[in-house]
Amino acid sequence: MKKRIVTIGREFGSGGRSVGRMVAQKLGVSFYDKELVRQISLKTGFHEDFIEQGEYAPIQSWMAYAFPASGVRNVMQGMSAEDFLWCMQCRVIRELAEREPCVIVGRCADYILRERMDCLNAFIHADMASRADRVVRLYGQAETSIERRLEDKDKKRRVYYKHYTGQEWGAAANYDVSLSTSALGLERCADIIVSLMQEELPEAGEIKGGAYDASN
Amino acid sequence: MKKRIVTIGREFGSGGRSVGRMVAQKLGVSFYDKELVRQISLKTGFHEDFIEQGEYAPIQSWMAYAFPASGVRNVMQGMSAEDFLWCMQCRVIRELAEREPCVIVGRCADYILRERMDCLNAFIHADMASRADRVVRLYGQAETSIERRLEDKDKKRRVYYKHYTGQEWGAAANYDVSLSTSALGLERCADIIVSLMQEELPEAGEIKGGAYDASN
C-alpha cells in the first residue's frame, strides 16, 4: 500500500524540521509544525509558547507558564494541564491525519497515529558535532555550553516521549526509517522519505522481498 | 566521499543478514558473516559454535563451551575468554576493513570501525509479528514461545553490545541509517543501502544540503 502521512521525530539540531518541510514541498502536501501548535492552541486555549515548551518539559508544574482562555478549566475535567494538553494534541493530530495527506513533525505523532496503516514514521538524527555546529549557526551562542544544551533538550524529549508513549525515544525499532543528516545530508534524507512515499510498501505482518534462506 | 564498507547490526529474525548478503551481491564485494566467524576461529582457536554463541551471551562463564586449541591459553595473557575473543574479533574486523571493501554483519563492527570515515553503518529491524513469522518459517516451532525467544535474543545482543561498546544497541543515533524490513521489504532496504554506497556522502561535522532556515 502507499502511505499518506509522514511523521518525523528528531533530535534537536539535527535538521529534522527542515527535512520535514522539504518532504512536504516535494510531495505537495501540508506541513504541520508551527501550524500544529497553533491548532492545539486554538483547541485548548493554551498559549503557543506553553505548548511548544511542553514537548521539552512534561514533568513540571506548567501552570505558572500557562495562560488558559476563560472557561478552559471547566473542560479539563480534573486532568493536569499536561494530560489535558496531551489529550487535545492526540485529537488534533488524529483529525489532521484523517483529513489530508501531510507531514507532521514532533509531538509523538508516530505513537498517536500507531493504529493507522498509512503512516511512514521517520526519525532524524545527527552526530553531536554537526548538531552543535547547526544550533550555533541558527540560534547563536548561549551562556551554557552547546553540548549541555543539546543533552538537555534530548533528555527532556526522551522523558516526554517515554512518559506519554511508554517507549524509548530514538530507538530505531519505533520507526520505519531512521536517517542521520550528518552522514547523508538533508536533501538525501528528504529524498529517501519522498521515494518511500511514492512506492507500494508491504502490508504489516510479514517480511517481504527476499527468499527465506535460513538466515535472519 | 564514497563509503567502502557496510556494517549491519540487526534484530534477530529481521532479515538483516539477508539484506547484508543482497547488498554485498549488488555491490560485488565480500560478505562477512559465517566467514567472519571462521576467521575469528582460526585466529583464536575457539570453536565456531562458541564464537557464534558469544554474540548472544557475553556475561556468562563460557569456558565450559570453549575448545581452545593447544597453546591458546598462553596468548590470552590473563584475559577472560570473552575479552580475549573480543580483542581478536576487533583485530580480524579491522584487518578485513583495511584489506577490501566488504559487508560485515553483526559483532559490533559499527563500533569497532568507528574511527574509519569510509563505513556506512546500518541497523535492520522489523516488528515483532513479522520477526516471529520469519523465525518460525526458518527455524520451526520450539518449546518456548516465539515472542519469548525473540525477546531473549534481543536482550542478549543488547547486553553484549552495551558491555563492549558502552552504547545502546538499536539506538538510531548509533547508525547512519536504520530500516524496518517489515515496513519496507528486504529488497527495498538493500536498495537504499546500495544507492547510498554509490553516492558521494558528506564529510562529518556539518549538516549539508539545506538552507539554514531557523529550524532544526
Side-chain angles (χ1 to χ4, degrees):
Chain A
M1 70 177 296
K2 279 198 185 178
K3 306 288 186 183
R4 285 171 66 246
I5 293 155
V6 182
T7 72
I8 297 189
R10 77 290 183 216
E11 288 181 342
F12 185 72
S14 68
R17 195 185 286 173
S18 296
V19 170
R21 188 179 295 112
M22 285 183 212
V23 169
Q25 283 171 351
K26 286 172 196 241
L27 292 174
V29 302
S30 298
F31 176 63
Y32 287 106
D33 170 33
K34 301 277 183 197
E35 175 56 27
L36 178 58
V37 172
R38 204 180 67 83
Q39 294 211 14
I40 297 168
S41 171
L42 286 173
K43 205 86 157 188
T44 59
F46 287 131
H47 194 281
E48 292 181 26
D49 290 348
F50 170 67
I51 296 166
E52 287 217 85
Q53 280 297 316
E55 197 174 0
Y56 293 110
I59 318 300
Q60 297 176 6
S61 171
W62 284 358
M63 294 312 290
Y65 304 98
F67 306 96
S70 66
V72 73
R73 278 181 185 281
N74 294 337
V75 297
M76 282 173 59
Q77 299 169 328
M79 278 190 278
S80 69
E82 296 91 320
D83 291 347
F84 176 70
L85 186 56
W86 172 257
C87 290
M88 290 300 114
Q89 177 171 315
C90 289
R91 188 185 293 180
V92 169
I93 287 173
R94 288 193 191 114
E95 284 172 0
L96 289 178
E98 198 57 41
R99 195 197 313 153
E100 58 174 349
C102 56
V103 175
I104 303 174
V105 172
R107 315 213 75 84
C108 307
D110 58 302
Y111 178 82
I112 291 169
L113 301 176
R114 67 194 178 284
E115 305 289 329
R116 298 186 71 99
M117 293 295 104
D118 57 355
C119 295
L120 185 81
N121 298 316
F123 186 75
I124 300 295
H125 54 94
D127 64 36
M128 185 60 93
S130 307
R131 293 163 63 202
D133 172 80
R134 185 174 170 88
V135 168
V136 170
R137 283 183 192 230
L138 291 179
Y139 306 116
Q141 297 285 355
E143 281 183 22
T144 47
S145 84
I146 182 65
E147 287 77 12
R148 184 82 177 270
R149 281 159 73 195
L150 290 172
E151 281 164 12
D152 190 49
K153 292 270 191 186
D154 284 352
K155 187 175 172 190
K156 285 175 174 168
R157 278 193 187 161
R158 183 173 300 116
V159 169
Y160 178 80
Y161 190 86
K162 180 81 177 181
H163 180 75
Y164 281 109
T165 73
Q167 300 182 157
E168 295 300 325
W169 179 78
N174 295 341
Y175 308 91
D176 300 319
V177 54
S178 302
L179 302 167
S180 163
T181 52
S182 50
L184 311 182
L186 293 169
E187 294 268 357
R188 193 65 185 92
C189 292
D191 287 344
I192 289 172
I193 295 170
V194 167
S195 71
L196 290 172
M197 290 297 288
Q198 293 169 331
E199 293 167 26
E200 290 288 330
L201 293 176
E203 304 289 324
E206 194 179 318
I207 297 171
K208 296 266 175 61
Y212 285 94
D213 56 356
S215 71
N216 57 73
Chain B
M1 71 177 296
K2 279 199 184 177
K3 307 286 186 184
R4 286 172 66 246
I5 293 155
V6 182
T7 72
I8 297 188
R10 77 289 183 217
E11 288 181 342
F12 185 73
S14 68
R17 195 185 286 173
S18 296
V19 170
R21 187 179 296 111
M22 284 183 213
V23 170
Q25 282 170 353
K26 286 173 196 241
L27 291 174
V29 302
S30 298
F31 176 62
Y32 287 106
D33 170 33
K34 300 277 182 198
E35 175 56 26
L36 178 60
V37 172
R38 205 180 66 83
Q39 294 212 14
I40 297 169
S41 172
L42 287 173
K43 205 86 160 187
T44 59
F46 287 131
H47 193 281
E48 291 180 28
D49 290 348
F50 171 68
I51 296 166
E52 287 217 85
Q53 281 296 317
E55 199 175 358
Y56 293 110
I59 320 299
Q60 296 175 5
S61 172
W62 284 0
M63 293 312 289
Y65 303 99
F67 308 94
S70 67
V72 71
R73 277 179 186 282
N74 294 336
V75 297
M76 282 172 60
Q77 299 168 329
M79 279 188 278
S80 69
E82 296 91 319
D83 292 347
F84 176 69
L85 186 56
W86 172 257
C87 289
M88 290 299 115
Q89 178 172 314
C90 288
R91 189 186 291 181
V92 168
I93 286 174
R94 288 193 191 114
E95 284 172 0
L96 288 178
E98 197 58 40
R99 192 197 315 153
E100 58 172 350
C102 56
V103 175
I104 303 174
V105 171
R107 316 214 74 84
C108 307
D110 57 302
Y111 178 82
I112 291 169
L113 300 176
R114 68 194 177 283
E115 306 288 329
R116 297 187 71 101
M117 294 295 103
D118 57 356
C119 295
L120 185 82
N121 298 316
F123 186 75
I124 301 294
H125 54 94
D127 64 37
M128 185 60 93
S130 307
R131 293 163 61 202
D133 172 80
R134 185 174 170 89
V135 167
V136 170
R137 284 183 192 231
L138 290 179
Y139 305 116
Q141 298 284 354
E143 282 183 22
T144 49
S145 85
I146 182 64
E147 287 77 12
R148 184 82 178 271
R149 281 160 72 196
L150 291 172
E151 281 163 12
D152 190 49
K153 292 271 193 185
D154 284 352
K155 187 175 172 189
K156 285 174 174 169
R157 278 193 186 163
R158 183 173 301 116
V159 169
Y160 178 80
Y161 190 86
K162 180 81 178 182
H163 180 75
Y164 281 110
T165 74
Q167 300 182 156
E168 295 301 327
W169 178 77
N174 295 341
Y175 308 92
D176 300 319
V177 53
S178 303
L179 302 166
S180 162
T181 52
S182 51
L184 311 183
L186 294 169
E187 294 267 357
R188 193 64 185 91
C189 293
D191 286 345
I192 289 172
I193 295 170
V194 167
S195 71
L196 290 173
M197 290 297 289
Q198 291 168 333
E199 292 168 28
E200 290 288 332
L201 293 176
E203 305 289 325
E206 193 179 318
I207 297 171
K208 295 268 176 62
Y212 285 94
D213 56 357
S215 71
N216 56 73

